[in-house]
Amino acid sequence: MSGVVNSVQAKAQEVAKEDYDRAKALVNDAAKSGSYLYPIKGIFYFLSHRGLWKPLLKKLAPFVTLSVGVVTGMFFFTYVPQLALMTFVNGPLAVFTTAVLVLNESSAVISFLSRNFVMQDALLDTFDGTLISRDATNLVSEGRELKSGRDPIQRLGKILKNPFQRFSPKALIRYVMYLPLNFIPVVGTVAFIILQGRSRGSTVHDRYFQLKRWSASQKAQWLSEHVGPYSAFGILATLLEMVPVASVFFSFTNAVGAALWAADIENKETEMTDGTAPGLREAAKKAE
């Protein structure tokens, strides 16, 4: 019996060590890449380049209208049923915890609807406009017509390639499923942010990969080689977009940050390009 116990303990220690080493490698990759800084860089770059404000300002009114409608509807239809369930878990505090839960659920619904029907084109314009402001005109011209001029947003013409992949219902369902984790103090909230951040990070460069004309296998290879950096970006972006009221602002600054990151990758100005992207490898071979 003791031999079985010792065997199980040894196996558990082995698995724990493997997971620790894997997590340590991901953290090291993220730290070297500096990807976690780009959501912050996006904020400052957005604030200092007024020309990039136009897509956001154009969509503020419809976004506010959508938000008010969703929050009102969610409280009217879902607050009481969820309060009845939460009372068994939180007792008297259920009145407040249920309100927080409904607000988080409303945020998920608003994000789903706004990204698909309200802000998708505006976020696309912000991403492309940022690339133009970073002199990545040739890259952007692969996905849309460009006009002459100095203002990066005014230069954006007809879209030649479909914009960002639409927000999937599966992602919305996953978000709502993970929301209850927030009611587990500290650990639950951290787990929620990590799970959402990792998923979010894998999509932030969909437009960049599209402009690069990468195949599905090239994208998968690049993302698998840089799980740490993309998870780090996604986690910080998720944190910012969880800030009440300011979430729409951070959605745009995160798009700017993702574009700045893409421009640096394109210019080989990040640690990630030491490994070289699939498209960059091919370019290097042709240059030789």
Side-chain angles (χ1 to χ4, degrees):
M1 185 67 177
S2 61
V4 174
V5 172
N6 290 335
S7 176
V8 171
Q9 288 179 338
K11 192 65 178 177
Q13 290 176 350
E14 181 183 343
V15 171
K17 185 177 185 304
E18 289 178 359
D19 289 345
Y20 172 78
D21 290 341
R22 188 179 298 112
K24 183 179 179 181
L26 291 178
V27 171
N28 286 337
D29 288 345
K32 288 179 181 179
S33 71
S35 62
Y36 56 90
L37 295 174
Y38 283 96
I40 305 301
K41 290 180 179 180
I43 296 172
F44 289 102
Y45 196 88
F46 183 80
L47 291 175
S48 62
H49 291 73
R50 295 175 64 92
L52 297 176
W53 299 4
K54 295 173 185 176
L56 169 60
L57 295 177
K58 191 182 297 184
K59 296 297 182 179
L60 267 183
F63 179 81
V64 171
T65 301
L66 172 67
S67 299
V68 171
V70 169
V71 172
T72 301
M74 288 292 289
F75 269 96
F76 185 80
F77 290 107
T78 71
Y79 180 78
V80 174
Q82 293 187 92
L83 175 61
L85 294 174
M86 295 297 289
T87 300
F88 292 103
V89 180
N90 300 117
L93 293 177
V95 174
F96 304 103
T97 57
T98 303
V100 174
L101 180 60
V102 172
L103 285 173
N104 280 324
E105 291 168 344
S106 300
S107 176
V109 174
I110 291 168
S111 178
F112 174 79
L113 295 176
S114 62
R115 285 180 177 276
N116 278 281
F117 306 107
V118 178
M119 298 194 305
Q120 187 183 43
D121 291 342
L123 290 170
L124 177 71
D125 288 348
T126 302
F127 188 93
D128 288 355
T130 302
L131 286 177
I132 290 176
S133 71
R134 285 292 307 274
D135 298 322
T137 306
N138 291 337
L139 181 63
V140 178
S141 65
E142 293 292 328
R144 70 193 307 163
E145 296 176 355
L146 295 178
K147 306 171 185 176
S148 59
R150 300 180 62 182
D151 187 298
I153 299 300
Q154 290 183 347
R155 292 194 62 187
L156 300 175
K158 180 182 177 182
I159 297 173
L160 303 176
K161 292 184 179 180
N162 291 329
F164 299 114
Q165 182 180 7
R166 289 189 177 276
F167 191 74
S168 69
K170 187 181 294 185
L172 174 65
I173 293 171
R174 185 180 293 114
Y175 185 97
V176 174
M177 283 177 57
Y178 292 153
L179 275 177
L181 287 172
N182 287 289
F183 295 102
I184 303 174
V186 185
V187 176
T189 302
V190 170
F192 173 80
I193 293 171
I194 291 175
L195 288 169
Q196 284 299 120
R198 184 163 182 173
S199 176
R200 172 69 190 283
S202 65
T203 65
V204 296
H205 275 166
D206 281 352
R207 175 61 170 174
Y208 174 55
F209 300 149
Q210 181 188 54
L211 295 174
K212 292 288 291 180
R213 298 185 179 182
W214 284 4
S215 65
S217 61
Q218 284 178 305
K219 291 187 290 186
Q221 177 189 345
W222 175 254
L223 290 173
S224 67
E225 291 174 354
H226 301 96
V227 174
Y230 280 98
S231 296
F233 182 100
I235 288 170
L236 190 50
T238 298
L239 269 172
L240 291 173
E241 292 183 18
M242 287 178 67
V243 177
V245 182
S247 61
V248 61
F249 170 76
F250 289 126
S251 292
F252 281 85
T253 62
N254 285 335
V256 172
L260 294 175
W261 188 15
D264 285 345
I265 292 174
E266 192 69 7
N267 294 328
K268 301 184 181 181
E269 294 176 0
T270 74
E271 290 287 336
M272 293 168 64
T273 47
D274 288 345
T276 316
L280 296 177
R281 289 196 195 101
E282 293 171 6
K285 289 179 180 178
K286 290 180 180 178
E288 293 174 359

